[in-house]
Amino acid sequence: PKFQSVKKADEILHDSEFVLGLNINGDIRAYPLQILVWHEIVNDMVGGKPVAVTYCPLCFTNQVFNRTLSDGNVVEFGTSGKLYNSNLVMYDRKSNSLWSQALGEGIVGDYSGLKLEKIPFDIAYWKEWKELYPESKVLSRDTGSVRPYGADPYGDYYTNDLILFPVANDDKRLGLKEIVIGLENKNQFKAYKLPDIEEKKVINDVIGEDKKIAIVSLEPFMVRVFDRIIENDVNDENKKITVDLFYNETNKTIIDRITGSELNFDGKFINGLLQDKQIKLLPMDQGFWFEWVAFHPETEIFSIK
């Protein structure tokens, strides 16, 4: 992949277009969905880490994976042309094993059953991304392929009720193409409606019995999930701090109720008793409801009390 400056990219990207954003070790990059919709996978090296940036237009699912497998092999991924629950099936160019984007797991071949490490990412409108990260590198249209970038081959698919391919579980609890954030802990699954997150700005919750998380949205569509436990000393339970965050409407800030410390959107406390402490950014699944529930039929839906 080749990259260009925000200023150069701004000549071709509209403010209302989506980009997938990555920040790994201070290496900040944006991948416009107008390019990903035609290729679906970008094999890249970001912040010294080999990654696969993936997008399935049929499910509006984005995901970033570490291309270094648990056996130490570094692989490249390609688009197989196959689907599983209407979702992107990738293949690796080393073993030709097939991988499910939704599961982040090998499903056929030598790597069947092997899990990929998911890497946190952002989905943001170009307008907000370029303001937040003006020094970002932006994926260029210079891909070596001739495609009508800027034209979406899926038309109004994202807003109509049509699902083009079969799915295993048809669940009408939400609109089929409602955008949800999906989270998992020890085979417990939970879905959060994007409008609920945008309305509340901050949601504190627990996934399963013990995964204490905070979901934060300070910009339109842009959601981050954090672990609410600060592990000062992982070997000492008494030294673990659990934060309880809320959004202060007056000052437009995120505050920990217990200490009054202020948190920024990167998960770092910038004042108060917790100043300079960091809560961990977690990976998530973001996409259409029909895709999440097809793979996780037992999922619970979060409701605002």
Side-chain angles (χ1 to χ4, degrees):
K2 296 177 182 177
F3 292 84
Q4 58 191 356
S5 68
V6 164
K7 184 178 180 181
K8 191 71 177 170
D10 205 32
E11 296 174 5
I12 54 174
L13 289 176
H14 300 295
D15 282 354
S16 59
E17 289 191 68
F18 287 117
V19 297
L20 183 153
L22 263 187
N23 182 353
I24 301 177
N25 299 324
D27 187 349
I28 302 173
R29 305 190 184 199
Y31 303 80
L33 294 200
Q34 65 157 244
I35 299 175
L36 286 176
V37 73
W38 292 99
H39 298 276
E40 301 191 7
I41 300 173
V42 180
N43 294 286
D44 203 1
M45 182 75 73
V46 184
K49 189 182 288 284
V51 299
V53 177
T54 71
Y55 173 51
C56 176
L58 289 170
C59 302
F60 201 72
T61 47
N62 300 269
Q63 194 56 261
V64 180
F65 300 107
N66 188 344
R67 293 193 286 112
T68 303
L69 307 182
S70 57
D71 64 3
N73 280 313
V74 178
V75 297
E76 284 190 349
F77 289 100
T79 305
S80 72
K82 302 177 188 295
L83 296 170
Y84 176 22
N85 276 331
S86 196
N87 177 254
L88 166 65
V89 173
M90 313 180 293
Y91 73 96
D92 72 81
R93 292 168 178 158
K94 195 175 196 75
S95 72
N96 284 325
S97 298
L98 298 180
W99 302 76
S100 164
Q101 184 212 34
L103 295 174
E105 181 179 323
I107 51 175
V108 175
D110 293 346
Y111 285 127
S112 181
L114 193 71
K115 287 276 192 182
L116 295 168
E117 179 196 354
K118 294 180 179 179
I119 294 172
F121 62 91
D122 293 307
I123 296 297
Y125 289 113
W126 174 240
K127 179 179 186 293
E128 279 74 37
W129 184 265
K130 67 184 178 183
E131 290 173 0
L132 288 170
Y133 301 106
E135 301 304 315
S136 174
K137 301 170 187 172
V138 185
L139 183 67
S140 165
R141 287 180 173 183
D142 183 9
T143 62
S145 300
V146 179
R147 299 285 189 277
Y149 299 119
D152 195 312
Y154 293 88
D156 66 350
Y157 169 82
Y158 308 105
T159 53
N160 65 38
D161 288 331
L162 185 66
I163 299 178
L164 298 177
F165 299 96
V167 292
N169 179 48
D170 185 10
D171 190 317
K172 298 282 197 305
R173 283 182 289 166
L174 296 177
L176 293 176
K177 292 179 180 174
E178 175 138 19
I179 300 290
V180 299
I181 301 299
L183 297 175
E184 179 263 341
N185 178 44
K186 299 174 182 174
N187 290 317
Q188 299 288 310
F189 303 95
K190 207 161 187 177
Y192 302 78
K193 295 185 289 184
L194 179 64
D196 286 352
I197 302 168
E198 291 181 316
E199 176 190 337
K200 296 284 287 183
K201 304 292 187 189
V202 176
I203 293 174
N204 296 286
D205 203 14
V206 180
I207 312 295
E209 295 181 2
D210 57 0
K211 191 68 172 179
K212 297 176 181 179
I213 57 98
I215 306 177
V216 179
S217 178
L218 299 184
E219 306 289 348
F221 214 91
M222 197 172 175
V223 175
R224 290 178 179 175
V225 180
F226 295 96
D227 190 328
R228 287 196 286 127
I229 296 177
I230 303 172
E231 296 189 343
N232 284 346
D233 185 341
V234 293
N235 297 315
D236 187 344
E237 283 289 334
N238 296 322
K239 289 190 176 181
K240 292 181 181 179
I241 302 168
T242 301
V243 296
D244 185 13
L245 305 177
F246 75 97
Y247 183 70
N248 185 326
E249 281 283 356
T250 305
N251 301 323
K252 311 294 184 190
T253 54
I254 309 169
I255 305 294
D256 172 38
R257 282 190 177 90
I258 301 164
T259 65
S261 306
E262 182 182 343
L263 183 81
N264 67 18
F265 198 26
D266 291 322
K268 186 174 183 178
F269 285 95
I270 56 177
N271 60 36
L273 292 173
L274 298 178
Q275 184 166 351
D276 294 332
K277 295 202 179 298
Q278 182 86 35
I279 54 176
K280 184 181 179 183
L281 185 61
L282 300 174
M284 63 179 179
D285 288 272
Q286 182 173 0
F288 290 144
W289 162 250
F290 84 79
E291 177 268 346
W292 172 258
V293 81
F295 284 95
H296 311 296
E298 66 278 34
T299 198
E300 177 187 351
I301 300 174
F302 174 84
S303 60
I304 296 177
K305 295 180 177 65

